[in-house]
Amino acid sequence: MSPIQNGRVLFHSAPKDFPVPGETTVYDTTQTIDPATVPLNGGFLLKTLVLSIDPYFRVMMHGIEGQPGFQVGAPLAGFGVAVVVRSETPSVAIGKHVYGHTTAHQEYSVVPELGALQIMEKHPNLPWSVYLGAAGMPGQSAYIGWKEYSNAKAGEVVFVTAGAGSVGSMVIQLAKKDGLKVIASAGSEEKVAFMRSLGADVVFNYKTTDTRTVLKKEGPFDIYWDNVGGDVLEAALENAAVHARFLECGSISGYNTGQPASKMFHHINAKALHIHGVIMAHLPLTKYLPEFYATVPAQLASGELKYTEEVTRGLDKVGDVILGVQKGTNKGKAIVLVADE
Amino acid sequence: MSPIQNGRVLFHSAPKDFPVPGETTVYDTTQTIDPATVPLNGGFLLKTLVLSIDPYFRVMMHGIEGQPGFQVGAPLAGFGVAVVVRSETPSVAIGKHVYGHTTAHQEYSVVPELGALQIMEKHPNLPWSVYLGAAGMPGQSAYIGWKEYSNAKAGEVVFVTAGAGSVGSMVIQLAKKDGLKVIASAGSEEKVAFMRSLGADVVFNYKTTDTRTVLKKEGPFDIYWDNVGGDVLEAALENAAVHARFLECGSISGYNTGQPASKMFHHINAKALHIHGVIMAHLPLTKYLPEFYATVPAQLASGELKYTEEVTRGLDKVGDVILGVQKGTNKGKAIVLVADE
């Protein structure tokens, strides 16, 4: 066998807004390879079968804090499945399939070791492509995120954005299995029809139907699965129920436009943060108040716990004390002493 | 006894930025009362002892969605302690003390029933004022919020803002009891000294020391107790550890300036939202993947779970597919088919 073309997709330059085929990425045909003779040096030769193109690619184009993104001049890498065509690695047999997020966007790759790749078996009735979608990273994000963080209870309401996507469509189905009412949005009539076929109770095209109107009518919701961020996240915040859970999975609305909302989102998502509103009205008082009053006042009285206060005498001083509290000039818990007993 | 002045603090008008004593609130002396003879109509007469002035007053000046704030022309109401001086309510005896967030800002109040107020006993070695601070709503917010949401573990790092306040100072002490390293900020040297006396490990005056510099040096942190919002919240997001917990308790930085950051914060706090970042890299994979692969592929193959995909043939199409995914024009999970087996 003589050398053949080894097509590759190289990262060329980060776009300002939307990616530009041929500029952001370049399809390169200058490399050749002879699959029969290319030296493996103890590794193995992969023939790429399927590649996953995911929304997070946009983030990889400028990298994430502390993590490198795509390397300029190198092939893109993402989730993919490849078949082993030659091997000098005993544990990686010819004919086996290899899956992982470091799959290079090229037809053939010589790989020195599995690293982040893994040997994968597939279900006989599924194509490999499904292992990049519903049975792959998107499906797993939906499945694990839902199980771990949704705290879903039958009868609750969930709002899912990008509900026809590989993450959203799994979330809709998991929510229906759990007995929830599902409100789901997407950006075309075809996607809306697909969401309906998954069992979503309320489906709409956010391009032709106002999200706030739907949420006001069908909400409030208990869980928000966020794939889009931006103004829809704002709309969701406005229409959430008390103690709603927000699962921040994606922010496609901001990836290409640099909307400020995506900055806060980026940190929440990239660091898997857990953000809890703390407000007296919705704290579990009955769970904790007996313990609080049984321990804290005595500890304050003994000095085991300390406190400060700034007591101002006279009801006529309330306005000044209010201002001081807002400016932070008070030197302890602001108290107005109205009267002696 | 003849009628005496019954001083009151009335809400007059919501301020544009900081409250203006005499304009936002007006101290009114036009009302008189005869404590000995004022009709109780089955209720009881309270003599106000101490009133709490809290940061949330600023929010009450314009009300919160769905909840009325202060009423124009009526006395302010907040947490306070009053003593019962006359009573026609058998369960509310003269000499008892009444505590609650509906305590009116006036010297004497005729109250028809307890409602949100409660009879309170105090520790003999504490003044009533402490029941508005460390042993009151602020202390309880700190105590319950910490116990319920911090998931604190010994050796972790917590960052506390407004650490000399009645909430923050309790958080610092609870964190030290739990064996955490505490980074705490406040706005004066006196407050910094107080935080140090509470055992905080790293204390600084945010007016003279850059928060980001401290967090970069002493962080990343595992828990953020947020009392201030705004740019400090941004700084915290930038310096959080993976799986950090954010306890959103206050946003004083935005109450008087209307900074946009406080809008998202407002919803998180007012609705006690729980926001979790969902990203594959930080999901509990080992906990869920065996279950996922044991169930999901088979359900996809049988049709119990559905999926869509849009397979594009040819590595040279990657750039176009990337663009399509960002624009949302793909009709299913975007897959590039590079080769047949």
Side-chain angles (χ1 to χ4, degrees):
Chain A
M1 198 169 176
S2 51
I4 56 172
Q5 175 180 300
N6 190 16
R8 304 182 297 163
V9 180
L10 307 179
F11 182 54
H12 185 249
S13 62
K16 282 204 168 159
D17 37 59
F18 281 97
V20 182
E23 229 177 83
T24 307
T25 55
V26 175
Y27 179 59
D28 175 79
T29 58
T30 61
Q31 194 179 81
T32 59
I33 191 170
D34 186 339
T37 62
V38 61
L40 302 182
N41 299 315
F44 48 92
L45 178 65
L46 293 178
K47 179 186 176 187
T48 307
L49 297 181
V50 281
L51 294 169
S52 181
I53 308 293
D54 291 293
Y56 78 83
F57 275 27
R58 184 62 188 79
V59 180
M60 296 291 283
M61 289 172 190
H62 53 74
I64 317 182
E65 291 157 27
Q67 295 174 44
F70 293 140
Q71 297 302 303
V72 172
L76 303 183
F79 284 94
V81 176
V83 62
V84 180
V85 290
R86 280 176 54 215
S87 179
E88 293 175 357
T89 305
S91 61
V92 183
I94 292 173
K96 288 287 183 188
H97 293 82
V98 162
Y99 161 86
H101 73 278
T102 54
T103 304
H105 281 218
Q106 54 191 38
E107 292 178 278
Y108 289 91
S109 304
V110 176
V111 178
E113 57 181 10
L114 278 175
L117 300 172
Q118 57 183 301
I119 306 232
M120 180 74 89
E121 307 283 335
K122 78 172 182 68
H123 192 285
N125 296 346
L126 291 176
W128 278 115
S129 56
V130 174
Y131 283 77
L132 304 181
M137 179 273 286
Q140 289 164 19
S141 295
Y143 186 93
I144 300 172
W146 183 260
K147 299 274 178 186
E148 181 75 2
Y149 300 125
S150 74
N151 193 21
K153 292 178 277 293
E156 286 192 327
V157 179
V158 60
F159 173 42
V160 184
T161 46
S166 48
V167 173
S169 59
M170 180 66 79
V171 171
I172 290 173
Q173 295 176 86
L174 294 171
K176 289 312 299 178
K177 277 175 179 278
D178 283 351
L180 281 79
K181 170 180 169 180
V182 175
I183 307 169
S185 66
S188 76
E189 294 308 315
E190 190 176 347
K191 290 177 180 177
V192 165
F194 178 54
M195 296 190 299
R196 186 178 292 115
S197 79
L198 299 178
D201 301 275
V202 179
V203 291
F204 65 101
N205 180 344
Y206 71 86
K207 290 178 179 169
T208 56
T209 302
D210 179 58
T211 299
R212 284 176 173 81
T213 305
V214 175
L215 293 183
K216 276 186 180 60
K217 177 166 181 273
E218 303 288 346
F221 57 81
D222 305 289
I223 302 167
Y224 176 41
W225 188 287
D226 188 9
N227 286 316
V228 304
D231 184 58
V232 177
L233 174 54
E234 279 294 329
L237 286 161
E238 291 166 18
N239 291 282
V242 167
H243 282 306
R245 287 79 71 194
F246 277 52
L247 281 75
E248 297 295 323
C249 186
S251 185
I252 188 81
S253 72
Y255 290 166
N256 299 282
T257 55
Q259 289 169 346
S262 63
K263 191 177 171 190
M264 184 166 184
F265 169 84
H266 169 74
H267 293 292
I268 295 172
N269 180 250
K271 294 179 177 170
L273 300 182
H274 307 276
I275 302 192
H276 299 279
V278 176
I279 186 165
M280 197 66 179
H282 305 306
L283 284 170
L285 299 182
T286 51
K287 180 174 175 185
Y288 286 108
L289 275 186
E291 176 185 334
F292 177 89
Y293 281 120
T295 57
V296 171
Q299 291 171 355
L300 290 165
S302 73
E304 183 182 344
L305 287 176
K306 297 175 190 174
Y307 64 94
T308 54
E309 56 185 26
E310 183 177 81
V311 179
T312 304
R313 177 175 286 265
L315 198 53
D316 57 320
K317 301 297 193 305
V318 164
D320 298 298
V321 178
I322 286 175
L323 177 59
V325 165
Q326 292 299 320
K327 290 208 158 182
T329 53
N330 54 309
K331 292 181 166 52
K333 174 73 190 83
I335 304 289
V336 169
L337 175 58
V338 181
D340 298 312
E341 274 198 81
Chain B
M1 196 168 176
S2 53
I4 56 173
Q5 175 180 298
N6 189 17
R8 304 181 298 162
V9 180
L10 307 179
F11 182 55
H12 184 249
S13 62
K16 280 207 171 157
D17 38 57
F18 283 97
V20 182
E23 226 177 86
T24 306
T25 55
V26 176
Y27 179 60
D28 175 82
T29 58
T30 61
Q31 194 179 81
T32 59
I33 193 171
D34 186 339
T37 62
V38 61
L40 302 183
N41 300 317
F44 48 92
L45 178 65
L46 294 178
K47 180 186 176 188
T48 307
L49 298 180
V50 281
L51 293 170
S52 181
I53 308 294
D54 291 294
Y56 78 82
F57 276 27
R58 184 62 187 80
V59 180
M60 296 290 283
M61 289 171 189
H62 54 73
I64 317 182
E65 291 157 28
Q67 294 174 46
F70 294 140
Q71 297 303 302
V72 172
L76 302 184
F79 284 94
V81 175
V83 62
V84 180
V85 290
R86 280 176 55 215
S87 179
E88 294 175 356
T89 304
S91 61
V92 183
I94 292 172
K96 287 288 183 189
H97 292 81
V98 161
Y99 161 86
H101 73 277
T102 54
T103 305
H105 280 219
Q106 54 191 37
E107 292 178 277
Y108 289 92
S109 303
V110 175
V111 178
E113 57 181 9
L114 277 175
L117 299 172
Q118 57 182 301
I119 307 240
M120 180 75 88
E121 307 283 336
K122 80 171 181 67
H123 192 285
N125 297 346
L126 290 175
W128 277 115
S129 56
V130 174
Y131 283 78
L132 303 181
M137 179 272 287
Q140 290 164 19
S141 295
Y143 185 92
I144 300 173
W146 183 260
K147 299 273 178 187
E148 180 76 2
Y149 299 125
S150 74
N151 193 21
K153 292 178 277 295
E156 287 191 327
V157 179
V158 60
F159 173 43
V160 184
T161 45
S166 48
V167 173
S169 59
M170 179 67 78
V171 171
I172 289 173
Q173 295 176 86
L174 294 171
K176 289 312 299 177
K177 277 175 180 277
D178 283 351
L180 281 79
K181 170 181 168 179
V182 175
I183 308 169
S185 65
S188 76
E189 294 307 316
E190 189 176 348
K191 291 177 179 176
V192 165
F194 177 55
M195 297 190 299
R196 187 179 292 115
S197 79
L198 299 177
D201 302 274
V202 178
V203 292
F204 66 100
N205 180 344
Y206 71 87
K207 290 177 181 169
T208 56
T209 302
D210 180 59
T211 298
R212 284 176 173 80
T213 305
V214 175
L215 294 182
K216 276 186 180 59
K217 178 166 179 273
E218 303 288 347
F221 57 81
D222 305 289
I223 302 167
Y224 176 42
W225 189 287
D226 187 10
N227 286 316
V228 304
D231 184 59
V232 177
L233 174 54
E234 279 294 329
L237 285 161
E238 292 165 17
N239 290 282
V242 167
H243 282 307
R245 285 79 71 195
F246 277 53
L247 282 75
E248 296 297 321
C249 185
S251 186
I252 188 82
S253 73
Y255 291 168
N256 299 282
T257 56
Q259 288 169 345
S262 64
K263 191 177 171 189
M264 183 165 184
F265 170 85
H266 168 74
H267 293 291
I268 296 172
N269 179 251
K271 294 178 177 170
L273 301 182
H274 307 276
I275 302 192
H276 299 279
V278 176
I279 186 166
M280 196 68 179
H282 305 307
L283 284 171
L285 298 182
T286 51
K287 179 174 174 185
Y288 287 108
L289 275 186
E291 176 185 334
F292 177 89
Y293 281 121
T295 57
V296 171
Q299 291 171 355
L300 290 164
S302 74
E304 183 181 345
L305 288 176
K306 297 176 190 174
Y307 64 92
T308 54
E309 56 185 24
E310 182 176 80
V311 179
T312 305
R313 177 175 286 264
L315 198 53
D316 57 319
K317 301 297 192 309
V318 164
D320 298 297
V321 179
I322 287 174
L323 177 59
V325 164
Q326 292 300 319
K327 291 207 158 183
T329 53
N330 54 310
K331 293 183 165 53
K333 175 72 190 85
I335 304 289
V336 169
L337 176 58
V338 181
D340 298 312
E341 274 197 81

